[in-house]
Every structure is written in structure tokens, then in C-alpha cells.
Amino acid sequence: MYFSLLKMSVSIDNFLKAVYVLGIEEGKKVTGSALAARLGISSAGITDMSRKLSRKGIVDYSPYKEIVLTETGKLEALQVIRKHRLWELFLYKVLNMDMADIHKEAERLEHETSIELMHRLDEFLGFPQYDPHGEPIPSIEGLLPDESDLIPLVEVNEGMRVKIIRISIREKEVYEMFQHYGIKPGIKIEVIRLFDFDGSMEIRIKGEKLILPGSLVTLILCKEGKNVHYGDQ
């Protein structure tokens, strides 16, 4: 079991999570200005936090250079992300909360949750690999599921059947539309036709045909014929 050596706080939790998601998951350059915009705080506040965590060996920081997590920093960030995503799954799956509302509730809960409680919650949910959005849930050791065969829906050929893994959408109105058609992680779809002129796609889901706009097709990731695990789903 992983044990943190850092006395965590809400500000540290949010900082580490933002650095990890921005730099590793989204593949963007983690600058002070990018973090300030993501977290809604001043650039001076980012500098102070970076220096503080650098002294503790959590980040590598030099003025005017990209902020990078050390190996210890990655493990700390993954534990925060683990808490957040397990809570999202619990709120969605057990308490039947709306997909559009679980993020802000998980934000509150993640800061007051012990590692032991997360282990119990993980066990209760059936050791899931993904949260309701399809984002990977780190294990207690900081390990992530293998996603080497994960492909963007936009690259799937006509006639292929795939399972949706991740939907990178946070807008409430889009959630409501997807919910209406039953589009969510874990659901299997068939690609019927691709429309090159605008990037849209005709799919079959639960026996019904649907045309997805190109702007939404690019936000969906999937796998071919793999048994991915969303708790007991």
C-alpha cells in the first residue's frame, strides 16, 4: 500500500493534480501561466507553490521553465486522482447522481479522504479501472490500466464494432444528449458510415442509428473487443 510522505492540503492536492493532468494526460507544456489559468490563481501563487514543492522533492522547478513532477510527485498526484475518480464512480453508480454534477462533489470529497478509506471504496466498487467518464483510475500502487490499444473513434473504420472507453466532455447539455441516446463508457457501438466533408459519423447503438457531429466524434476513445472493467458493470 502507498503511504504519502507529504502533508497534503487542498491547495497542494489541486496543484499536483493540475500538473499531472495538464502535462501527462493532456500532453501540454506545464508553464506557470497555464497552471494559473487552470487553477484560477495568480502567477505569483504558482511560483510560491512550485518553490515550496521543489524544496520537498515533489516537483522540478526553475524560473521560466516547465514545471515537472518528480517520481515522488507523480505518485502523490496519482493518489489525489485516484480519490477523485473513485468518488466520481461511487456518486454516479451507487448514489445515481447526474454525470454533470459528480465532478464538483468529488472535488470536495477527495481532500478529506484517507488512503485506507479509498482502499475500502475501491474494494466495494469491485476494483474498477475507469471512472464514469472513462478516465483511468490509478491503483493503490499508482499503476494505470494498459491503454496501448485505445483508439480515437475518428480512426475507426466503417463496419467495425468497438466499445466506448472515454468521453472527454464536461458540458452539461452534451451529457444530456448522450444520456438520451445511451452513449457512455462501456457501451458497444458499430460504425456504419464516415462523412469526410465534416468529420461526422453514423453509428448504430442498441439497434438504432445515430449521426454524431465531427466535434463530438473527436472526443471519444474506444477499444476493439476488450473486456474493460467499470466495477460490476
Side-chain angles (χ1 to χ4, degrees):
M1 181 178 292
Y2 178 75
F3 293 97
S4 174
L5 299 177
L6 181 66
K7 184 177 181 180
M8 303 297 282
S9 66
V10 173
S11 57
I12 293 175
D13 283 354
N14 290 338
F15 185 92
L16 294 179
K17 186 169 62 174
V19 174
Y20 185 92
V21 172
L22 191 64
I24 296 177
E25 290 193 341
E26 297 182 6
K28 298 177 182 177
K29 190 172 182 179
V30 186
T31 62
S33 58
L35 276 178
R38 176 66 63 98
L39 294 171
I41 61 178
S42 68
S43 294
I46 295 295
T47 299
D48 288 344
M49 180 64 78
S50 299
R51 288 172 175 166
K52 173 183 176 181
L53 295 180
S54 179
R55 290 193 294 269
K56 294 179 180 292
I58 304 300
V59 301
D60 288 328
Y61 169 76
S62 297
Y64 310 112
K65 292 186 178 180
E66 185 175 3
I67 300 166
V68 179
L69 293 170
T70 64
E71 286 305 311
T72 300
K74 287 179 184 178
L75 284 174
E76 297 285 359
L78 284 167
Q79 292 308 308
V80 180
I81 291 169
R82 169 179 163 80
K83 293 176 183 180
H84 182 92
R85 292 176 180 173
L86 281 171
W87 275 125
E88 283 200 332
L89 186 58
F90 178 84
L91 294 170
Y92 176 73
K93 187 169 162 181
V94 179
L95 300 187
N96 297 313
M97 288 187 63
D98 190 278
M99 184 83 85
D101 298 325
I102 59 176
H103 177 73
K104 62 181 180 181
E105 295 299 335
E107 283 282 339
R108 298 186 181 102
L109 290 164
E110 70 187 43
H111 306 301
E112 303 296 333
T113 305
S114 68
I115 296 295
E116 176 60 25
L117 177 56
M118 280 299 93
H119 180 67
R120 298 293 182 91
L121 189 61
D122 192 18
E123 184 178 26
F124 174 79
L125 292 169
F127 303 105
Q129 293 178 312
Y130 296 93
D131 74 4
H133 308 288
E135 302 290 353
I137 299 174
S139 71
I140 191 68
E141 297 84 10
L143 301 177
L144 294 165
D146 179 20
E147 295 191 333
S148 58
D149 54 355
L150 189 149
I151 54 175
L153 181 58
V154 70
E155 296 179 8
V156 175
N157 296 323
E158 293 179 356
M160 287 179 60
R161 292 181 176 86
V162 295
K163 178 179 286 188
I164 294 176
I165 302 299
R166 184 171 306 148
I167 301 176
S168 302
I169 295 170
R170 294 294 183 269
E171 292 78 12
K172 186 176 179 64
E173 59 273 17
V174 180
Y175 276 137
E176 291 174 347
M177 184 194 77
F178 274 30
Q179 185 176 26
H180 176 75
Y181 290 105
I183 302 173
K184 61 181 180 178
I187 291 295
K188 294 179 182 179
I189 63 171
E190 178 185 358
V191 175
I192 299 175
R193 193 188 319 177
L194 306 174
F195 299 96
D196 293 334
F197 69 94
D198 66 352
S200 60
M201 176 182 287
E202 184 179 16
I203 66 171
R204 180 179 286 111
I205 178 170
K206 296 182 178 180
E208 296 186 4
K209 293 182 179 180
L210 173 68
I211 293 182
L212 287 177
S215 59
L216 298 183
V217 173
T218 59
L219 299 176
I220 298 175
L221 300 178
C222 51
K223 283 185 180 181
E224 293 183 70
K226 295 292 183 179
N227 181 27
V228 294
H229 191 203
Y230 297 81
D232 61 6
Q233 180 173 314

